[in-house]
Amino acid sequence: MNRWSHISVNPIAGALGAEVSGVHLGELGDGALNEVREAFVEHQVLFFRDQEITRDQHKAFGRHFGTLQIHPYLQPLKDQGHPEFVVLQSDEQHPYLAEAWHSDVTFMDEPPLGSVLKCIVAPDFGGDTMWASMYAAYEALSDKMQRVLSDLVAIHDTTRTFSRYEYKTDHIGGRQAPQVMSAEHPVVRTHPESGRKGLFVNSTFTTSIKGMKPAESDALLSFLYRHITTPDFSCRFRWRPNSVAMWDNRCTQHRVVADNRTANRRMERVTINGDKPF
Ligand SMILES: [Fe+2]
């Protein structure tokens, strides 16, 4: 029996990810919105095709899920009245950003709930995005390893990204971090809506495990970073202009597939504020 009455939901992979059709994100009724919410918590990342929405509609859709974040270092459309947008532009002169697995902005005490990313210009081929389920990654560990991780806290900071001099984001309205920002989060977090546990360390922002010797911390983190790349935990999405992806930043990681490097690719994102991981 089809449990959805307002939308169609078709999973694209076993661990996470579903394509939603039958909706226009600029004109969502309450019934469809409630089903999108439910599908979001269940599938962790949702995809919508052919969404001709304005920036205002893009923001309004994001606001159904919470207040929008203004990124501390990336505000490329601020002068156009849209400080909430992050732009990802890559082409012959500008390399892809985000080609390592990560969750967004985990160097803040309250990392985002999720993001809504719209494709403006898609390469003819390549430049896909991958997501990985941190529930699946956690659940694949042995009971013993799950127990070891359950009491651990990790440090997340900007030393590999926004505080690094070579990390150039000028072309997308970025600025250098004046000082290192850092936060502490549990290595295993519990999702506030689903109640499920997932890994919450990522190779872009997590730098160490609190209270461990550097060699111990490095060994454990590199094991986890390798573990989360297991293809079984992932899904992959091919972009077309007006495709929209909405991911749950609390239980997934993502990265760009950095192939076809000279192609023009432009994406615009709004980010929904989240709460303190526990
Ligand atoms: Fe990202």
Side-chain angles (χ1 to χ4, degrees):
M1 195 189 86
N2 187 355
R3 53 187 269 224
W4 308 103
S5 13
H6 300 273
I7 60 177
S8 296
V9 179
N10 293 295
I12 67 162
L16 80 172
E19 194 158 327
V20 175
S21 51
V23 283
H24 184 273
L25 300 183
E27 305 159 359
L28 270 182
D30 286 348
L33 179 61
N34 286 336
E35 290 192 349
V36 168
R37 283 183 204 287
E38 200 181 320
F40 178 61
V41 173
E42 182 172 331
H43 293 284
Q44 307 158 59
V45 50
L46 300 180
F47 306 105
F48 307 85
R49 296 287 189 188
D50 305 316
Q51 298 296 322
E52 287 192 31
I53 50 171
T54 63
R55 284 181 179 146
D56 284 329
Q57 287 175 320
H58 188 163
K59 289 198 284 193
F61 176 68
R63 287 194 178 112
H64 288 307
F65 299 85
T67 54
L68 298 187
Q69 185 193 56
I70 296 183
H71 194 284
Y73 309 118
L74 301 171
Q75 298 168 25
L77 303 181
K78 189 178 170 188
D79 294 344
Q80 295 171 56
H82 298 293
E84 303 89 347
F85 277 90
V86 166
V87 171
L88 300 168
Q89 169 72 49
S90 50
D91 48 49
E92 217 156 335
Q93 283 80 41
H94 303 111
Y96 288 103
L97 277 178
E99 54 178 285
W101 284 101
H102 65 286
S103 347
D104 291 325
V105 199
T106 61
F107 54 84
M108 294 182 81
D109 285 336
E110 297 185 343
L113 175 157
S115 284
V116 182
L117 182 68
K118 181 187 171 196
C119 178
I120 310 297
V121 180
D124 291 337
F125 58 89
D128 296 354
T129 301
M130 295 183 72
W131 283 265
S133 168
M134 294 302 103
Y135 297 147
Y138 174 76
E139 288 161 9
L141 296 169
S142 66
D143 290 350
K144 283 201 189 316
M145 179 57 91
Q146 289 180 354
R147 243 174 286 142
V148 167
L149 300 178
S150 66
D151 290 332
L152 300 179
V153 170
I155 318 284
H156 298 235
D157 70 34
T158 53
T159 50
R160 296 198 190 108
T161 53
F162 300 101
S163 309
R164 217 182 76 212
Y165 176 69
E166 305 81 22
Y167 195 73
K168 291 288 182 207
T169 54
D170 318 9
H171 69 291
I172 50 165
R175 67 181 178 98
Q176 197 71 30
Q179 69 222 3
V180 172
M181 280 183 83
S182 73
E184 294 181 4
H185 301 302
V187 168
V188 177
R189 78 178 285 188
T190 303
H191 193 287
E193 292 177 75
S194 71
R196 295 174 72 185
K197 289 182 177 177
L199 288 177
F200 198 65
V201 288
N202 70 84
S203 62
T204 298
F205 299 118
T206 312
T207 47
S208 62
I209 308 268
K210 202 177 165 185
M212 279 192 168
K213 294 185 173 175
E216 297 167 344
S217 170
D218 291 351
L220 186 51
L221 286 175
S222 54
F223 160 70
L224 292 173
Y225 297 158
R226 204 168 52 243
H227 175 68
I228 67 112
T229 67
T230 306
D232 313 25
F233 311 150
S234 73
C235 70
R236 177 168 173 159
F237 185 64
R238 184 166 184 180
W239 295 100
R240 295 198 299 256
N242 294 325
S243 297
V244 170
M246 174 188 192
W247 65 87
D248 192 327
N249 201 55
R250 301 165 294 187
C251 58
T252 67
Q253 294 192 32
H254 56 279
R255 57 160 293 171
V256 67
V257 177
D259 56 359
N260 196 4
R261 286 177 173 265
T262 56
N264 188 16
R265 179 183 188 266
R266 181 185 173 93
M267 319 289 281
E268 294 187 359
R269 169 183 118 192
V270 297
T271 301
I272 303 150
N273 282 314
D275 43 24
K276 195 168 170 52
F278 58 88

